[in-house]
Amino acid sequence: MASPLRFTGDTLELLDQTRLPGEEVWLRCERPEQVADAIRRLAVRGAPAIGVTAAYGLVLAADGSFEEAARLLASTRPTAVNLSWAVEQGRQVYARARDSGEDPAAVLRAWADGLARRQEEADRLMAEHAAALFAAGSRVYTHCNTGGLATAGSGTALGAIEHAWGRGLVGEVWVGETRPLLQGARLTAWELEQAGIPFRVVTDSSAAALMARGEVDLVVVGADRIARNGDVANKIGTYGLAVLAERHDIPLHVVAPLSTVDLDTLSGADIPIEERDPSEVTGGSPALNLAFDVTPHDLVASIVTEAGVIEPPYESSLERAVRSQSLA
Ligand code: MRU
């Protein structure tokens, strides 16, 4: 899977995902404001990847107005909790380094590298656990982009699909194009092509017909924030897929690291939903451009994290998983 970022010490380079698949252009960020701008305009996107990106953005802020940069980075995208989670950790790391007389830039750099490594490890474990959800030759439908581009590791849902394919468990992947910004048709298709996995892109509105024709065995998606009760915020359109999947008796599984689980948010109703510029949707007409929706927990068959496959009732199982990980 392609990596969306590389850090050289004083420069964070980001693969500009708005230009993919046509062009591979690397953006050079030397200041946290440039990192914030890249996150806001989706040059880098996907909940875990923006958490890791913000961590390196804080390294660039270590010798400047740190708190201002932290606030700016955290404000760029409100729904993906990995972002505020990483920025909050970075604040604590910075304060400890400063109070103990260490070099904040060096300490933050080691922390950001560690965060990236832990995400890679979480991705590997999620893929292994998720294999249990596939049967030989499964036809799997996925939405948005959840591969390496979205995590800086091997991916969540798409990483699980790639792993399952390697074990003969995937026949074909249906890729919802993911309106309005086509993360499916542009990015997931690009990653699947590189991995040599058979896939076909479909318009988002084809999902119902595909399911009715019996051409989908399971739906696997990622998440931007999972509330304590198991409600899942993910790319707009996921809720519709979940309703359709239930109607056709098809399981919908969510693959996401524990850094996406937010026990402080009680239910989906409390998750802030990002609204983006109408110009992404129309050429001038008024528009409501919701970036995410919330799938109620009763439509989610399981949530796969690095701690294993978590099943309902989520209220207790998610808390147990988070607790087991913080003790590990
Ligand atoms: O707006 P995006 O492209 O950042 O939305 C991304 C998603 O909705 C993904 O499904 C989610 O972040 C999980 S990525 C591993």
Side-chain angles (χ1 to χ4, degrees):
M1 291 279 180
S3 177
L5 58 90
R6 52 192 187 213
F7 191 64
T8 56
D10 53 6
T11 308
L12 175 63
E13 292 185 74
L14 299 171
L15 180 57
D16 187 345
Q17 297 186 33
T18 66
R19 311 276 285 267
L20 291 174
E23 293 174 293
E24 288 181 37
V25 176
W26 286 86
L27 303 168
R28 291 173 57 82
C29 303
E30 281 152 13
R31 290 178 290 110
E33 299 78 34
Q34 294 169 310
V35 179
D37 180 59
I39 296 175
R40 197 176 288 111
R41 63 181 195 79
L42 308 195
V44 58
R45 30 67 50 205
I50 59 179
V52 174
T53 300
Y56 285 112
L58 290 177
V59 179
L60 300 177
D63 299 324
S65 316
F66 183 85
E67 182 47 38
E68 205 178 302
R71 267 203 301 270
L72 176 69
L73 286 162
S75 71
T76 49
R77 299 200 71 195
T79 304
V81 75
N82 305 62
L83 179 61
S84 45
W85 170 87
V87 169
E88 190 43 45
Q89 269 189 38
R91 277 196 179 101
Q92 291 170 20
V93 170
Y94 175 79
R96 274 200 303 275
R98 198 195 43 204
D99 296 348
S100 62
E102 290 174 277
D103 172 13
V107 174
L108 280 164
R109 169 69 195 267
W111 161 73
D113 287 346
L115 198 78
R117 270 197 309 275
R118 281 198 299 282
Q119 182 61 46
E120 282 173 27
E121 178 62 4
D123 287 4
R124 192 184 64 74
L125 289 168
M126 286 186 281
E128 277 179 13
H129 297 311
L133 308 173
F134 294 77
S138 295
R139 295 153 308 165
V140 48
Y141 189 107
T142 192
H143 189 55
C144 197
N145 171 262
T146 59
L149 287 172
T151 72
S154 55
T156 58
L158 199 60
I161 292 169
E162 184 178 11
H163 180 76
W165 179 75
R167 297 173 61 166
L169 299 173
V170 173
E172 182 173 22
V173 185
W174 295 113
V175 178
E177 61 178 355
T178 316
R179 284 282 295 152
L181 294 171
L182 302 177
Q183 287 92 330
R186 292 187 302 109
L187 307 177
T188 301
W190 187 69
E191 289 191 311
L192 287 171
E193 179 88 52
Q194 287 186 346
I197 301 174
F199 71 93
R200 274 183 277 176
V201 173
V202 288
T203 56
D204 295 331
S205 42
S206 301
L210 276 182
M211 290 183 190
R213 283 160 54 158
E215 301 209 41
V216 179
D217 298 310
L218 74 166
V219 179
V220 185
V221 295
D224 283 79
R225 188 185 301 226
I226 300 173
R228 176 180 275 269
N229 70 346
D231 290 352
V232 173
N234 190 48
K235 178 54 55 194
I236 189 79
T238 305
Y239 175 37
L241 276 175
V243 172
L244 291 172
E246 186 195 42
R247 159 86 188 186
H248 296 93
D249 210 13
I250 295 166
L252 176 136
H253 301 283
V254 172
V255 183
L258 289 169
S259 52
T260 302
V261 176
D262 178 12
L263 295 179
D264 293 333
T265 296
L266 298 186
S267 79
D270 304 312
I271 298 177
I273 298 296
E274 176 183 352
E275 288 183 24
R276 296 185 59 83
D277 200 297
S279 67
E280 289 181 345
V281 182
T282 66
S285 306
L288 172 63
N289 185 7
L290 298 174
F292 301 99
D293 59 24
V294 174
T295 299
H297 56 92
D298 59 308
L299 298 181
V300 177
S302 78
I303 299 174
V304 184
T305 73
E306 60 270 45
V309 178
I310 295 172
E311 287 175 341
Y314 293 117
E315 190 96 41
S316 49
S317 52
L318 281 173
E319 190 180 357
R320 253 198 320 277
V322 169
R323 208 174 327 113
S324 76
Q325 216 61 14
S326 50
L327 294 176

